[in-house]
Amino acid sequence: MQIARRRLVQTGLAGATFGAPFVVRAQAARELKIGLITGPSHNWTQAMQSFSEALKKESGGRLSAAVFPAGQLGNEATMIQQMQTGALDMGFLTLAEFSNRNANFGAFFAPYLTRDVSHAAKVLKGKEAATVLDQLSDQGLAGLGFGLGGMRHVLSRAAAPNAAALKGKKFRITPFAPLRDFYQFAGIVPTPIPLPGLFDALANGQIDGADVDLELVWTLKLFQQAKHLVLTKHMMFPVVSVMSGRVFAGMSQPDRQLVRRVMAVELDKLFAKYAQAEGEWLTQIRGTGIEVLQVGREFFGDVASAWEKHWSPSAPSLPKLRAEAA
Ligand code: BEZ
């Protein structure tokens, strides 16, 4: 009897009444495919691995997720297209990519919107962020929640006492308009290079420096190529967990809730991870002996206000995010 009961639970038939004249359909087992561009050891990839394990456990083995890191399924633009057709189930993608499609998402990249990752986490869990997350449905996607990477800094080959000293130099940026404009306002030549090409671009001298976070400097050993790190903290760098709108709509209500709940736990763990790891990476980077310069907003002069003036008309969420951040 015990064994029979367990089988019914496993097949989702536990609610069926013996001898009843109707059939309760078993919820099919399902493996969700998740794509992302970060490498296997990056914290975003680890978070999705952890989500996969938690989902399996919480669903009694019926739901699971297979994680495809390092752009195995294509770049972020390709993965979004795949999710729109339902060919890919889920992605854990930079918000940067979405800001290229909906300028309002650019509001999150307002210079100096947040002080540090803990502050950024609060804004990303706030009311306006939830409103913006819903706007992903316009792109055929279901937004499950925001996470983040480290705060952004400047890594330079040459000494960089201020941004003016970098005028005319080529700096790698993640390819998205808000960051491109920020560097352009600073007179630094923005050179869009997706994450997988960053190390080689620095190593072969294609660029004079890069817009980075501490995780990249430490784990990709960028400190071996450029020896001046300026701790500017000029932007936060959100990631967003998204699901194909078609796939999400095809799931049962309890399954949708389960996926949302399990993801929310993983995103909270990711926020906590960065809050702790930023200090550790900095200590490790300092230990390499490269120059680490602590600067304030004066480093970029009036670039932040030029950016704000330029982006405010196309990013209506900006004043609300600033108010919540304050
Ligand atoms: C970047 O382009 O710098 C980046 C992308 C994904 C995760 C972290 C950083």
Side-chain angles (χ1 to χ4, degrees), residues 114-135:
T114 57
R115 288 184 301 277
D116 53 33
V117 286
S118 303
H119 187 204
K122 283 188 188 144
V123 171
L124 290 168
K125 289 176 77 173
K127 210 168 150 210
E128 188 57 17
T131 306
V132 173
L133 194 66
D134 285 345
Q135 291 171 6

Side-chain angles (χ1 to χ4, degrees), residues 75-306:
N75 61 23
E76 291 190 327
T78 308
M79 286 190 261
I80 291 172
Q81 277 169 7
Q82 289 172 356
M83 279 187 277
Q84 286 166 335
T85 64
L88 174 62
D89 301 308
M90 293 177 74
F92 202 53
L93 309 181
T94 64
L95 190 65
E97 180 62 32
F98 289 101
S99 72
N100 289 331
R101 291 149 198 271
N102 178 344
N104 190 36
F105 287 64
F108 289 86
F109 299 100
Y112 307 109
L113 175 64
T114 57
R115 288 184 301 277
D116 53 33
V117 286
S118 303
H119 187 204
K122 283 188 188 144
V123 171
L124 290 168
K125 289 176 77 173
K127 210 168 150 210
E128 188 57 17
T131 306
V132 173
L133 194 66
D134 285 345
Q135 291 171 6
L136 285 166
S137 61
D138 300 346
Q139 298 181 41
L141 302 170
L144 302 182
F146 288 110
L148 49 61
M151 297 299 289
R152 303 301 288 200
H153 306 289
V154 167
L155 182 69
S156 172
R157 280 185 196 287
N162 50 49
L166 301 176
K167 272 202 183 357
K169 296 212 180 281
K170 288 175 75 178
F171 267 62
R172 176 267 171 176
I173 58 156
T174 309
F176 69 112
L179 191 59
R180 178 204 61 206
D181 290 348
F182 184 76
Y183 275 79
Q184 247 159 16
F185 283 128
I188 302 169
V189 183
T191 309
I193 297 173
L195 182 60
L198 169 57
F199 182 86
D200 285 350
L202 258 186
N204 66 25
Q206 186 191 341
I207 47 175
D208 301 304
D211 189 275
V212 289
D213 62 34
L214 297 179
E215 184 173 19
L216 299 182
V217 176
W218 179 247
T219 58
L220 299 182
K221 297 191 176 14
L222 302 182
F223 55 82
Q224 292 174 349
Q225 308 298 331
K227 307 222 178 263
H228 302 272
L229 175 64
V230 189
L231 300 174
T232 52
K233 296 206 247 175
H234 53 275
M235 266 179 207
M236 63 169 161
F237 200 75
V239 58
V240 57
S241 165
V242 283
M243 193 163 203
S244 157
R246 284 187 186 201
V247 171
F248 198 61
M251 293 177 94
S252 69
Q253 176 73 2
D255 279 358
R256 290 202 288 260
Q257 280 171 350
L258 179 65
V259 167
R260 277 194 188 281
R261 183 164 55 76
V262 174
M263 184 58 78
V265 172
E266 293 307 325
L267 294 176
D268 274 346
K269 279 161 55 180
L270 190 66
F271 286 135
K273 174 80 209 181
Y274 276 98
Q276 177 214 327
E278 289 260 288
E280 292 169 5
W281 287 318
L282 188 53
T283 304
Q284 284 159 321
I285 293 165
R286 282 189 202 278
T288 67
I290 69 166
E291 184 198 26
V292 179
L293 202 59
Q294 190 104 34
V295 296
R297 289 176 183 216
E298 71 288 346
F299 180 86
F300 276 110
D302 56 8
V303 172
S305 51

